[in-house]
Amino acid sequence: MGTIMKIGIVGMGHVGAHVANSLVLQGIGDELYMTEQCSGDEDHSAKLAAEVQDLGDSLAFCPHNVALVNCDDDYARLAECDVIVNAAGKVSLASKDRDGELFYTTETAKTFIKPIADAGFDGVWITISNPCDVVATEIWKLSGMDPNRIIGTGTALDSSRLKYALSRATGYDQHSICAYMLGEHGSSMFAAWSAVNFGGKPLAQLRQEQPERFGFDEAQVEQEARHGGYVTYAGKQCTEFAVADAAVRLVRAVVSNEHYITPCSTLMTGDYGESGFFTSLPCVIGANGVEEVLHFDLSDAELHEFQASCAHVKENLRRIGLL
């Protein structure tokens, strides 16, 4: 009998529910353990029961059966999972910027990080909640886990938005474009233009050879990537599909031990002179989480942007007493 893959989710709101649905539709995992966040006077138990029922009703249309487990707010039950996705948050607080959830998500996370750690969890955390880099740092500090086993979705989503913008600008398929947003998953993120390539050919070279196709306004394209989420939010008061899929892509890389390269939030250990907190750089993702961090020869301007982005993350950590 093969190994049973167990995946947990904390928070079954817009994003958590889409994470669950994407996992089931893609056939990732054998058992799905779902919990709801408990904060203030809010009772999410009915919402969780509804999501579990809806997912169960969809199983006949999915690749294979998945055992669906309603854990209510018994976080310790998630300790037996191989991967836990943290999607606990309150999106309305982030209507203007991702820092809007700072105090809410970090206080909420305190209710489940320690119970899960104390119950012996030794799998991989994948955290979505905003501010993503701050919450990832909090999980590391409160759980005492190996930081390589903690992954923030970070700029994986923003890099997808950058590829989408570049695809619209050039007409090339986004799967053939290598382009990364780096730094904080927030307003201070930046595009690493010096590393952008199309099918392996550097953007700078293509711009010289085909100026009519590649002479687009970099600042405008970068702005589209940075603010794509707010376009989505303005129309439906949440973002859900893309960020859930970004998290599920990381789950798949872990459970399949893929050695997949993507930008995501990881612990800085002297990278470009920064240490002691999480932010996004290109990482190799496998069964044990972050296996390796890749470094580019950033231009002086990009290095300045990275350091400014890190400064913002550190300021938020100081605001909640974690730095």
Side-chain angles (χ1 to χ4, degrees):
M1 183 176 180
T3 301
I4 294 175
M5 187 61 61
K6 301 178 181 181
I7 301 170
I9 301 175
V10 179
M12 287 289 288
H14 285 296
V15 175
H18 281 292
V19 168
N21 188 51
S22 187
L23 288 168
V24 170
L25 279 175
Q26 294 186 52
I28 302 172
D30 304 296
E31 297 181 358
L32 186 55
Y33 291 70
M34 292 162 282
T35 65
E36 256 302 356
Q37 63 204 66
C38 291
S39 54
D41 298 324
E42 297 174 281
D43 181 6
H44 298 285
S45 58
K47 171 69 160 60
L48 176 58
E51 297 292 3
V52 174
Q53 178 69 43
D54 205 7
L55 287 165
D57 292 342
S58 76
L59 286 176
F61 310 109
C62 297
H64 61 71
N65 198 44
V66 178
L68 305 172
V69 184
N70 183 338
C71 300
D72 199 19
D73 62 350
D74 186 2
Y75 302 122
R77 292 190 66 185
L78 270 61
E80 62 187 271
C81 292
D82 300 282
V83 181
I84 298 175
V85 177
N86 169 31
K90 193 171 186 178
V91 69
S92 61
L93 297 175
S95 60
K96 294 182 179 179
D97 64 69
R98 296 177 182 90
D99 291 346
E101 292 182 90
L102 175 64
F103 295 102
Y104 181 89
T105 54
T106 53
E107 284 301 311
T108 299
K110 290 176 183 177
T111 66
F112 59 78
I113 295 171
K114 285 286 287 179
I116 291 173
D118 291 346
F121 178 63
D122 63 354
V124 173
W125 275 102
I126 294 174
T127 182
I128 301 169
S129 301
N130 285 318
C132 184
D133 306 285
V134 173
V135 176
T137 306
E138 180 184 34
I139 292 174
W140 169 53
K141 286 181 176 285
L142 296 186
S143 70
M145 286 183 62
D146 176 355
N148 291 331
R149 289 182 168 273
I150 300 165
I151 307 169
T153 50
T155 61
L157 170 58
D158 309 293
S159 298
S160 176
R161 288 174 174 149
L162 178 59
K163 291 177 185 179
Y164 184 41
L166 285 168
S167 177
R168 295 197 303 270
T170 64
Y172 282 116
D173 171 36
Q174 53 207 320
H175 297 90
S176 301
I177 302 170
C178 180
Y180 296 145
M181 297 290 284
L182 302 179
E184 175 207 23
H185 176 58
S187 59
S188 69
M189 72 179 83
F190 68 98
W193 288 110
S194 61
V196 173
N197 70 77
F198 290 71
K201 197 163 189 176
L203 172 60
Q205 184 178 346
L206 287 165
R207 179 158 280 168
Q208 290 181 340
E209 296 175 356
Q210 302 180 53
E212 71 288 348
R213 188 171 204 171
F214 293 94
F216 53 81
D217 185 334
E218 288 183 357
Q220 179 181 334
V221 168
E222 184 170 346
Q223 186 74 345
E224 289 177 23
R226 185 178 289 111
H227 290 283
Y230 294 104
V231 174
T232 303
Y233 186 90
K236 60 178 184 176
Q237 287 69 59
C238 69
T239 61
E240 47 194 346
F241 305 141
V243 67
D245 288 339
V248 171
R249 184 66 187 89
L250 287 165
V251 173
R252 179 152 63 92
V254 172
V255 301
S256 300
N257 193 26
E258 286 185 17
H259 317 298
Y260 167 63
I261 298 174
T262 186
C264 56
S265 190
T266 190
L267 180 66
M268 298 294 98
T269 58
D271 309 81
Y272 303 108
E274 301 289 349
S275 298
F277 62 94
F278 281 59
T279 201
S280 286
L281 288 174
C283 297
V284 180
I285 307 299
N288 295 312
V290 174
E291 299 178 339
E292 183 182 355
V293 179
L294 305 182
H295 300 97
F296 299 138
D297 291 327
L298 298 177
S299 68
D300 289 344
E302 290 166 348
L303 182 58
H304 176 75
E305 288 183 287
F306 182 71
Q307 291 169 338
S309 190
C310 289
H312 185 74
V313 176
K314 289 185 282 189
E315 175 56 30
N316 272 337
L317 287 167
R318 281 189 283 269
R319 289 174 67 192
I320 60 170
L322 280 180
L323 197 66

